[in-house]
Amino acid sequence: MKRRSNSQKFPLHHRWKRKLIILLLVGLCLGTVALMETQYSRIKKLAISSPPFVQKPKIAFLFIARNRLPLDIVWDAFFQGDKENKFSIYVHSRPGFLLNKATTRSAYFLGRQVNNSIQVEWGEASMIHAERVLLQNALEDLHNERFVFLSDSCIPLYNFSYTYDYIMSTSTSFVDSFADTKEGRYNPKMHPVIPVENWRKGSQWVVLTRRHAEVVVKDDVVFPVFQWHCKRKSLPEFWRDHPLPAEGWKEHNCIPDEHYVQTLLAQEGLEGEITRRSVTHTEWDLSSSRDRERRGWHPVTYKLADATPTLIQSIKDIDNIYYETEYRREWCTSKGKPAPCFLFARKFTRPAALRLLNMTALGVQGGASSNSKKKISSISFEFNTKKKK
């Protein structure tokens, strides 16, 4: 019996059909390869034309608080103005205090407390110790280039964009610093480590460059001297807890946080690298105490009735600061042009700050989300309800 050949087994039209299918499959494969090569070349071009993400310099906001931050919602609206991750937050509260959903309504502050905080007492070296702790934590982020100290009663006067540009537009620190000529502040026991010609005074609410922040953290000379010899004067209200000084008239009324950073930078020869003024406004109370010596020890606290757009505008309108001890007038500039002196202001109660925020007097709500605005309205409603009761 003869075997049939393949040509006989498969009719002619079936053979053509097989060849056509093979050709189609080959064409499909070649087309897929070409498409992949085209997509790859497009991706390659995009990778070449699009530069890699570069983190912009950040501002570290360093809050010194007793416990929680009563003005967290005000700052929540402020921080929502940043869309490029150009800030970081650090909070120094009492040891053991946690910023969680029960203690803050702003997601920006959740877990932002430093874990090595200390107990702070007003008018003692513990305050400058707390500042150093905040700087130590903030310096761990290599992208932090400026370090802004703020109290728990501070409010921002402008939106995030304006504030960022103002601070980053100069290579200097903002440090309120002037020669202190009042008797009783400088303790001669500081000599010779801190000579009297390097003794300075100013506000603790400074803005430091990274270089100056590192100087503060690494300091192991001036800080110990302040711990030993810069102490506030004993006050009658504290004599119950502390023995009455035998020679009270010899005491030096030294408030560490008003002298430390200023004196340290002078000691290190860095005053040429600072803008010698603060960007935080404080109104000192010159009439609250009958004791003439103690007048001006504490700042004015702005309450609900004080919180008006007129007040905020009056602060924004300040364009120069006069230093009596040096007969020096500091004209405020930004980017080489006249500018407002202050970016922040204190001391504001929570009701006062919320009222200003609701009035949009602070100019920080531009970037606030609808959720944040709901929180603001909710807190304001709660406050007004409690007030009526």
Side-chain angles (χ1 to χ4, degrees):
M1 181 184 280
K2 291 183 179 180
R3 296 181 65 184
R4 291 184 180 180
S5 64
N6 288 335
S7 61
Q8 291 175 321
K9 188 183 289 186
F10 298 103
L12 184 63
H13 67 278
H14 282 171
R15 279 180 284 165
W16 279 108
K17 188 182 284 187
R18 285 180 64 194
K19 289 180 180 179
L20 184 61
I21 290 170
I22 291 169
L23 287 171
L24 287 171
L25 288 171
V26 170
L28 183 63
C29 289
L30 290 172
T32 302
V33 171
L35 181 63
M36 289 176 67
E37 287 181 349
T38 304
Q39 289 179 337
Y40 175 76
S41 63
R42 285 178 181 174
I43 293 169
K44 193 174 180 180
K45 285 180 182 177
L46 285 171
I48 294 171
S49 61
S50 301
F53 173 75
V54 177
Q55 172 65 56
K56 292 187 177 180
K58 294 198 294 185
I59 296 177
F61 291 86
L62 313 178
F63 291 87
I64 296 179
R66 296 171 182 81
N67 294 298
R68 66 179 66 202
L69 289 163
L71 310 185
D72 55 355
I73 292 301
V74 177
W75 287 100
D76 186 277
F78 172 79
F79 288 127
Q80 286 191 45
D82 170 46
K83 308 300 180 186
E84 300 178 85
N85 188 34
K86 294 188 293 187
F87 72 91
S88 53
I89 297 171
Y90 302 85
V91 182
H92 186 287
S93 293
R94 62 173 172 78
F97 182 82
L98 298 177
L99 284 162
N100 52 35
K101 290 183 178 180
T103 56
T104 179
R105 298 199 186 193
S106 170
Y108 292 109
F109 291 99
L110 291 174
R112 297 312 304 163
Q113 75 283 341
V114 296
N115 296 322
N116 55 339
S117 63
I118 63 166
Q119 189 63 45
V120 175
E121 299 292 338
W122 178 82
E124 295 186 4
S126 56
M127 179 65 80
I128 56 177
H129 188 178
E131 292 175 357
R132 286 159 58 94
V133 168
L134 281 167
L135 289 174
Q136 286 169 354
N137 282 270
L139 282 168
E140 291 179 5
D141 185 339
L142 298 179
H143 295 298
N144 286 333
E145 291 292 337
R146 297 292 185 276
F147 304 81
V148 181
F149 282 102
L150 298 160
S151 78
D152 55 9
S153 63
C154 272
I155 61 170
L157 297 174
Y158 299 92
N159 60 34
F160 181 88
S161 178
Y162 180 86
T163 303
Y164 181 90
D165 290 344
Y166 192 112
I167 291 173
M168 299 302 296
S169 67
T170 177
S171 60
T172 65
S173 295
F174 289 94
V175 180
D176 183 48
S177 178
F178 53 92
D180 181 29
T181 57
K182 291 183 179 179
E183 294 182 5
R185 289 280 187 166
Y186 176 77
N187 188 340
K189 292 180 181 179
M190 295 180 174
H191 188 83
V193 179
I194 304 174
V196 68
E197 58 266 25
N198 287 340
W199 185 244
R200 300 287 185 272
K201 187 178 185 295
S203 168
Q204 76 176 107
W205 312 113
V206 301
V207 178
L208 298 178
T209 61
R210 188 172 185 90
R211 167 173 157 80
H212 293 162
E214 289 172 345
V215 168
V216 174
V217 168
K218 293 176 181 177
D219 168 42
D220 58 2
V221 176
V222 175
F223 180 61
V225 174
F226 266 72
Q227 288 180 304
W228 281 103
H229 301 302
C230 183
K231 299 179 181 180
R232 69 171 183 224
K233 190 173 183 178
S234 301
L235 302 175
E237 56 263 41
F238 298 120
W239 290 349
R240 189 178 301 170
D241 302 318
H242 301 282
L244 179 69
E247 296 179 302
W249 60 274
K250 285 186 177 181
E251 283 191 300
H252 296 272
N253 187 36
C254 181
I255 311 299
D257 55 81
E258 293 181 357
H259 297 273
Y260 175 62
V261 172
Q262 292 80 358
T263 300
L264 174 61
L265 295 180
Q267 185 90 344
E268 295 292 327
L270 298 173
E271 288 189 297
E273 299 178 9
I274 68 174
T275 298
R276 295 175 65 195
R277 62 180 176 86
S278 175
V279 291
T280 298
H281 178 268
T282 303
E283 184 72 27
W284 293 97
D285 189 352
L286 301 176
S287 61
S288 62
S289 176
R290 292 181 181 179
D291 183 353
R292 186 176 179 182
E293 185 183 352
R294 294 175 62 181
R295 289 177 186 172
W297 276 25
H298 296 287
V300 172
T301 297
Y302 295 110
K303 299 178 181 178
L304 182 67
D306 306 311
T308 64
T310 303
L311 169 66
I312 298 303
Q313 192 57 51
S314 69
I315 297 172
K316 289 182 175 182
D317 287 342
I318 299 172
D319 62 359
N320 71 91
I321 305 167
Y322 183 66
Y323 293 90
E324 293 181 6
T325 61
E326 298 180 338
Y327 305 102
R328 170 172 61 94
R329 188 175 297 278
E330 193 78 29
W331 290 94
C332 304
T333 61
S334 177
K335 299 179 182 178
K337 297 179 181 179
C341 291
F342 301 111
L343 300 174
F344 315 103
R346 57 188 294 268
K347 300 175 58 173
F348 285 82
T349 62
R350 192 174 189 225
L354 289 175
R355 182 182 185 187
L356 290 169
L357 192 61
N358 278 323
M359 290 177 174
T360 65
L362 302 180
V364 301
Q365 277 188 287
S369 66
S370 57
N371 187 42
S372 179
K373 291 174 182 176
K374 286 179 183 178
K375 288 179 184 177
I376 296 165
S377 299
S378 172
I379 294 172
S380 298
F381 175 77
E382 288 175 16
F383 170 74
N384 289 329
T385 303
K386 289 177 181 178
K387 187 180 177 185
K388 288 176 183 177
K389 289 180 180 179

